Amino acid sequence: MSKHWSYKLDDNGIGWLHFDHLDSSNNVFSNEALDELAAEISEIDKAAPRGLIFISDKKAGFIAGADVKGFVGRSDVDETEQFIKGVHSLFQRIEDLPFPTLALIHGHCLGGGLELALACRYRVARDDEGTRLSFPEVRLGIFPGFGGSVRSIELLGPLVAMQNMLNSRALTGRAAKKIGLVDQIAPERHLKQAAIDLITRQPPPHQPSFSQRLLNNNPLRSMLARYMEKETAKRVNREHYPAPFKLLDHWKLHGGSKAALYKSEARGVAELLTSSTAQNLIRVFFLQERMKSLGKGSDFKPHHVHVIGGGVMGGDIAAWCALRGMRVTLQDREAQYLSKAMQRAHALFRKKLKRTPLIQAAGDRLIPDHKGDGIEKADIIIEAIFESVEAKQVLFKEIEARAKPDAVLASNTSSIPLEQIATILKKPERLVGIHFFNPVAKMQLIEIVSSKQTSPDETHRAAAFALAINRLPLPVTSSPGFLVNRILMPYLLEAVALLEEGVPAPAIDRAALRFGMPMGPIALADSVGIDICLSVAQKLSETMDVTVPAILQKKVDDNNLGIKSGWGFYRYQKGKAVKTPIPSDYKAPEDLTNRMIFRLLNEAVACLREGVVEDADLLDAGVIFGTGFAPFRGGPMQYIRDSGVNQMRQRLEALNSAHGARFKADPGWSDLE
Ligand code: NAI
């Protein structure tokens, strides 16, 4: 008797194998589920039904993939290779069954789940927005290892298969049908019948076109692989993220023989999975899950959001909430800001939703509200007016008087301690910070800020709201800069100091990219806006030991604000930086990267000591999702641990001797040993 699978034979003589993983909201291939599947397949093989349909009983989807928990801490390549080979032989048995097999897909069908579907003769997917098929493996630092790299090439042809594995693109049923990944799509009510029809009719399985198949033969295969390698290298650094390159090599060298491909898949994925990159990326995956869990378990179900202040942030916050299905009222004292915000919102809806009825529905959910009538009705009110304590106090006094007694009252302030705003509230425990990052539609992280007065229930409700709009909540205390800006600022200021010392901006940015940052600090300052950087730096300099470089003020005085004004540290043409090439004989200071990174690390240690976040894991999560800090390094604290606390401290002390007290080790370093 299986715990996770159940088998039923229908009146047509077709077998239905239901997957419903016990104690989990998603179906995953835990070791136990795989063992049980093997036993079920042996029985079904003997019973010889007319056909076999794999179906999930989970509402959310078909199968979410391998159980990533089983990947944590894997360090033995041979053992991992044996595990993968075991799954290969199970999936091969499914492929070899003497009757037709079919995967009936709804919701998510990811990684190992898609690989099981590929081992079936047919695939039918539900035709709706919620159905998504994808290979997310490269994001975890591996590539499909349950036969997926072999079967996808066979089914789709190498070009389409490689593109999907390299890009982890999530396809709707419709998009999957277009490329031949599924044989048929059907709306929910016809889904089962469509599956029965396919099993009964038994049409020949899908095959890629002749020209697609040709690409698998040399010399075309080698040429295409080299081309894709070049394209991938434009986006991804091979040293930091080897998986996509290893996938391409695997196909280039072994694509001519299925047996060789299976072998190389098992070895290649085992090598990747046991590497520090994959282990850190898996860690990041769990950090993300942990942040999501912080928003769970609350009975707060926000339907109506009221946003006050329709500027850069408020306008975009309102648009994002409407995009995510909420009813939103947007208030601003000036009509011109509301109309600009509505225009930006519609551009976002068009970009993200594509289909006219969906765009219109999102537009209908976003209501300009000059007078603020939404205050009385909203479940959550987010203030995003300009950064002034007095103005925010006046506003919150009014909000508290008018809002529903159980509405969440939130401020998007980036630098004002909540305690100061809350002094005018009758119930200061109601005020919570919901600190979005700019640009709202891109940045996944939201800092959920609590003062000493904020009630834990409000913090939880704010986190539930973040999750409801598909964002990652990070609880932080209401100390200056919270977590992300505080950690980022010393790093940015060091980069500007280097610039003032005469290091060319492209050399500074290049060093940060080589470390694994998604963007160089100089380019980042230009894109955030030098005026914003200056104001955050000035604010932080009131409480932190940071010196604001004079060049920032000068740039602002000259209106060289960055991308938005066409000139900042770089000059911009059509939004692109025009960079003066670094002279070939230029020699950057040896400690260039360390100077920037160690200031960031030292600040991270200080934040941890002060308890700005609860623990080192959440700190890493915040810095990765809030700043893009090299995910393959697993976050600043993980990077310190991986490199050795003592060695890292010594490097910091060397910088202190060479460049002064801003590199003085925070007392928190002693707690790490
Ligand atoms: P902004 O200046 O672009 O927008 C402020 C808007 O509020 C303006 O449209 C203004 O007309 C409106 N407003 C001012 N007083 C009002 C009132 N009493 N009632 C209704 N509307 C009023 O400012 P931005 O950049 O959007 O910042 C807003 C808040 O978000 C600030 O607290 C800022 O610290 C915070 N923040 C800003 C970030 C950024 O990158 N700009 C990032 C994260 C937070």
Side-chain angles (χ1 to χ4, degrees):
M1 192 52 194
S2 289
K3 276 199 234 163
H4 310 293
W5 303 85
S6 59
Y7 178 69
K8 291 179 192 120
L9 196 67
D10 71 9
D11 297 343
N12 303 307
I14 298 172
W16 294 75
L17 187 56
H18 292 251
F19 191 10
D20 188 2
H21 201 286
L22 202 71
D23 303 327
S24 162
S25 54
N26 291 321
N27 280 331
V28 287
F29 285 129
S30 58
N31 285 343
E32 197 177 57
L34 283 168
D35 289 346
E36 286 187 2
L37 176 61
E40 292 284 352
I41 294 299
S42 303
E43 289 301 309
I44 296 169
D45 194 6
K46 275 190 240 151
R50 250 177 99 189
L52 175 65
I53 297 175
F54 289 88
I55 184 168
S56 153
D57 289 348
K58 299 286 188 204
K59 199 165 170 272
F62 181 62
I63 301 172
D67 182 6
V68 185
K69 273 194 235 103
F71 293 169
V72 177
R74 274 194 180 271
S75 57
D76 188 325
V77 183
D78 294 338
E79 197 185 283
T80 307
E81 184 182 7
Q82 283 318 309
F83 161 74
I84 294 172
K85 283 186 168 169
V87 182
H88 278 179
S89 76
L90 169 59
F91 282 19
Q92 192 58 48
R93 279 170 57 207
I94 294 171
E95 187 180 305
D96 294 342
L97 286 171
F99 39 81
T101 49
L102 183 146
L104 189 53
I105 298 161
H106 73 274
H108 55 240
C109 173
L110 310 174
L114 183 52
E115 296 180 277
L116 172 73
L118 285 171
C120 294
R121 197 183 301 175
Y122 308 115
R123 283 147 299 279
V124 171
R126 196 170 69 188
D127 182 17
D128 64 7
E129 279 302 309
T131 293
R132 287 281 193 267
L133 297 88
S134 93
F135 287 116
E137 285 84 352
V138 291
R139 296 209 177 134
L140 291 182
I142 54 176
F143 62 80
F146 290 174
S149 75
V150 189
R151 291 194 178 92
S152 63
I153 292 173
E154 202 181 15
L155 183 75
L156 309 173
L159 180 63
V160 179
M162 283 294 156
Q163 280 170 339
N164 279 282
M165 287 187 281
L166 290 171
N167 301 335
S168 298
R169 208 177 297 150
L171 304 173
T172 57
R174 198 163 281 237
K177 167 95 174 43
K178 229 183 207 165
I179 62 166
L181 185 57
V182 303
D183 301 276
Q184 210 163 317
I185 49 172
E188 169 95 62
R189 60 187 187 283
H190 297 313
L191 202 58
K192 286 189 176 165
Q193 194 53 48
I196 295 170
D197 287 351
L198 262 182
I199 292 272
T200 316
R201 279 194 294 117
Q202 297 197 30
H206 176 81
Q207 275 212 334
S209 66
F210 177 68
S211 58
Q212 274 287 335
R213 277 185 319 224
L214 260 190
L215 294 175
N216 205 38
N217 297 340
N218 266 335
L220 283 177
R221 187 171 76 234
S222 294
M223 282 161 62
L224 182 59
R226 271 199 299 275
Y227 169 76
M228 290 178 123
E229 197 179 305
K230 247 172 70 192
E231 289 300 302
T232 308
K234 287 184 192 159
R235 293 182 293 117
V236 186
N237 183 329
R238 181 195 282 264
E239 275 169 43
H240 299 162
Y241 300 99
F245 300 95
K246 198 153 175 134
L247 170 64
L248 283 165
D249 279 348
H250 150 74
W251 171 59
K252 186 170 72 182
L253 298 174
H254 306 288
S257 142
K258 245 168 99 171
L261 262 187
Y262 275 118
K263 236 173 121 180
S264 132
E265 184 189 88
R267 188 71 192 169
V269 173
E271 283 168 359
L272 287 170
L273 191 51
T274 49
S275 69
S276 75
T277 296
Q279 288 297 321
N280 276 330
L281 292 176
I282 288 165
R283 180 166 182 274
V284 173
F285 169 81
F286 283 112
L287 294 177
Q288 196 171 346
E289 294 298 300
R290 178 161 171 219
M291 282 197 281
K292 284 185 193 165
S293 76
L294 299 173
K296 291 186 181 153
S298 162
D299 52 12
F300 180 55
K301 300 270 174 294
H303 299 291
H304 180 174
V305 187
H306 183 77
V307 181
I308 309 178
V312 175
M313 292 305 286
D316 287 2
I317 293 168
W320 183 258
C321 294
L323 179 81
R324 301 299 310 172
M326 293 193 189
R327 178 185 160 79
V328 183
T329 38
L330 175 60
Q331 177 186 353
D332 199 289
R333 57 180 180 187
E334 288 192 52
Q336 51 154 332
Y337 288 109
L338 284 183
S339 74
K340 270 193 208 146
M342 298 304 276
Q343 278 169 17
R344 288 205 313 277
H346 281 277
L348 176 77
F349 301 156
R350 279 195 299 276
K351 185 170 163 208
K352 295 273 179 186
L353 299 171
K354 305 216 165 63
R355 288 163 54 188
T356 313
L358 298 176
I359 298 168
Q360 268 169 0
D364 291 346
R365 287 193 292 269
L366 179 58
I367 305 150
D369 178 13
H370 190 47
K371 291 198 202 127
D373 294 333
I375 296 181
E376 277 100 0
K377 300 182 198 109
D379 305 309
I380 174 164
I381 297 161
I382 304 173
E383 167 278 312
I385 66 166
F386 63 105
E387 197 73 335
S388 145
V389 187
E390 293 76 24
K392 287 186 198 268
Q393 284 175 334
V394 171
L395 189 61
F396 270 105
K397 204 171 163 87
E398 182 194 344
I399 296 172
E400 189 183 34
R402 289 175 60 195
K404 292 197 288 191
D406 59 348
V408 171
L409 308 188
S411 171
N412 183 46
T413 177
S414 45
S415 60
I416 304 173
L418 290 184
E419 290 84 346
Q420 280 185 29
I421 305 174
T423 48
I424 46 74
L425 289 182
K426 286 197 185 116
K427 292 189 173 167
E429 66 275 16
R430 283 185 77 181
L431 188 66
V432 62
I434 298 190
H435 184 226
F436 285 82
F437 292 91
N438 189 9
V440 174
K442 276 218 178 113
M443 300 298 289
Q444 273 184 291
L445 191 81
I446 298 182
E447 287 176 327
I448 306 293
V449 188
S450 305
S451 71
K452 286 200 180 74
Q453 296 159 305
T454 310
S455 109
D457 191 41
E458 294 305 314
T459 310
H460 194 192
R461 281 160 22 107
F465 163 74
L467 197 62
I469 56 165
N470 200 22
R471 287 292 177 254
L472 299 170
L474 177 78
V476 296
T477 58
S478 172
S479 60
F482 313 135
L483 179 77
V484 172
N485 284 346
R486 172 163 165 196
I487 287 189
L488 200 56
M489 194 44 68
Y491 157 83
L492 280 181
L493 293 182
E494 195 61 30
V496 177
L498 282 156
L499 198 70
E500 280 188 316
E501 287 170 27
V503 181
I508 297 171
D509 280 347
R510 189 177 62 186
L513 291 174
R514 282 188 180 156
F515 177 79
M517 300 305 249
M519 188 189 242
I522 303 297
L524 180 67
D526 271 0
S527 93
V528 170
I530 295 177
D531 49 340
I532 297 204
C533 288
L534 176 66
S535 89
V536 177
Q538 282 170 336
K539 195 87 202 169
L540 286 179
S541 69
E542 292 167 13
T543 48
M544 276 166 69
D545 191 14
V546 289
T547 315
V548 183
I551 190 172
L552 283 182
Q553 186 64 57
K554 169 131 191 12
K555 288 272 172 200
V556 173
D557 293 345
D558 295 345
N559 199 36
N560 290 335
L561 305 181
I563 298 178
K564 59 186 169 189
S565 67
W567 202 306
F569 290 115
Y570 294 113
R571 187 166 60 81
Y572 291 85
Q573 253 171 8
K574 293 190 186 145
K576 279 205 149 198
V578 186
K579 295 187 181 175
T580 321
I582 307 168
S584 56
D585 58 349
Y586 176 75
K587 232 179 127 358
E590 261 175 27
D591 55 7
L592 170 58
T593 313
N594 278 349
R595 277 179 60 179
M596 295 187 282
I597 299 300
F598 272 81
R599 288 207 59 194
L600 185 155
L601 298 178
N602 201 27
E603 204 59 45
V605 171
C607 286
L608 193 62
R609 174 181 52 77
E610 288 175 24
V612 176
V613 276
E614 198 177 311
D615 55 45
D617 281 355
L618 281 181
L619 187 142
D620 280 347
V623 180
I624 291 171
F625 289 98
T627 72
F629 181 95
F632 73 97
R633 299 192 193 271
M637 299 316 295
Q638 173 73 2
Y639 177 50
I640 291 174
R641 272 196 304 264
D642 260 358
S643 318
V645 175
N646 280 334
Q647 281 98 315
M648 293 298 266
R649 192 179 173 149
Q650 278 162 18
R651 283 159 77 181
L652 183 60
E653 273 155 12
L655 289 168
N656 182 15
S657 313
H659 302 286
R662 63 186 188 281
F663 289 99
K664 186 163 182 280
D666 184 87
W669 282 87
S670 312
D671 305 335
L672 303 180
E673 282 153 12

